[in-house]
Amino acid sequence: MTKPKQKTKISNAHKRPSTNPPVRKLHEPSHKSFRLSKKIKKPATLPKARLLFKDSSRHLWKYKRVFGGITAIYLLATILLVKGLSIGSNVPEIKASLDEVLTGASGQLTTGISLFGYLVGNVSGVSGETAGTYQSIVLILISLALVWVLRQTYAGNTIRVRDSFYKGMYPLIPFLVVLLVIGLQCIPLAIASWIFNATIVSGLAVTLIEQALWTLLVFLLALLTLYMVSSSIFALYVSTLPDMTPLKALRSTRDLVRNRRWAILRKVAFLPVVLFLAGAIIVVPVIIFLTPLAEWLFFVLSMLALVLSHGYFYKLYRELL
């Protein structure tokens, strides 16, 4: 009686699969502004605002020759095309009038702070449509040069000041379109300013409840502008990339700030506060003791503020990537 043949088991380890196994992908959670949705896990936290400002300032100082040259060109172009050789307003006359009313050390300090606020309120100092147009053109060209230099210096490339104007001007149209979008997003802020002047300043809102309601409406409109601009401001830097369209830049930055927009808002609001306090510390003593030089000093500091702003926002943009 013969034994039945045992079937040998063939291992499947040597068999080559006919097709690659399907790759499973997790469904990415989506979020849309102003709509209820499930809470999404927050991405990695951003550095603190003071560290961003410190690192960006250190980078500007490292390449101070290039950034200083661009600032000098900005200063010269603004003097020749926008303001002329007479920078100023009538700060010495206003100070003399205030000194007659406010006396003593506290009065001098109050005068200095008041005049600094006056200079900040008239930071443009432009009279006439032609001067305003020239100022806008100079501001846009200098901004393009600064963005190009920031990208090159962070990449470790050696450049010259003239390269920023020869090679950094090509994304002018996408940059302008993004600026136009930001201008449209600032319409709620302009409406808020009009409402504030029409109700609170002019005294239309009399009772405390009316003032509180109008102030709340103004705050919400201003917050809406800040909410939208918090992503669009970074599209200015994305739009300067090669083969980048304005719409693609706006969409990509909207993805960058997703789920961390409020943290970015705090960091965006940090910069004007720091610049204001630093300007006050520098300019107020000059207003008190060296009044004729105050306007020139404030003018130079306003030129530096543009460089510091681009350096800070570009550093924040890099941290978002």
Side-chain angles (χ1 to χ4, degrees), residues 71-85:
T71 306
I73 294 174
Y74 183 28
L75 181 69
L76 182 61
T78 304
I79 292 175
L80 295 179
L81 300 176
V82 180
K83 292 182 177 293
L85 296 177

Side-chain angles (χ1 to χ4, degrees), residues 42-62:
K42 294 182 180 179
T45 57
L46 296 171
K48 294 183 178 180
R50 58 182 178 84
L51 296 178
L52 287 172
F53 185 77
K54 181 180 179 180
D55 293 341
S56 62
S57 301
R58 187 181 300 168
H59 181 80
L60 295 176
W61 180 255
K62 181 180 179 181

Side-chain angles (χ1 to χ4, degrees), residues 294-316:
E295 295 173 89
W296 279 98
L297 177 61
F298 182 82
F299 174 64
V300 174
L301 291 178
S302 64
M303 304 291 105
L304 293 174
L306 178 66
V307 182
L308 290 172
S309 299
H310 277 296
Y312 177 82
F313 286 127
Y314 190 81
K315 177 64 177 178
L316 179 56

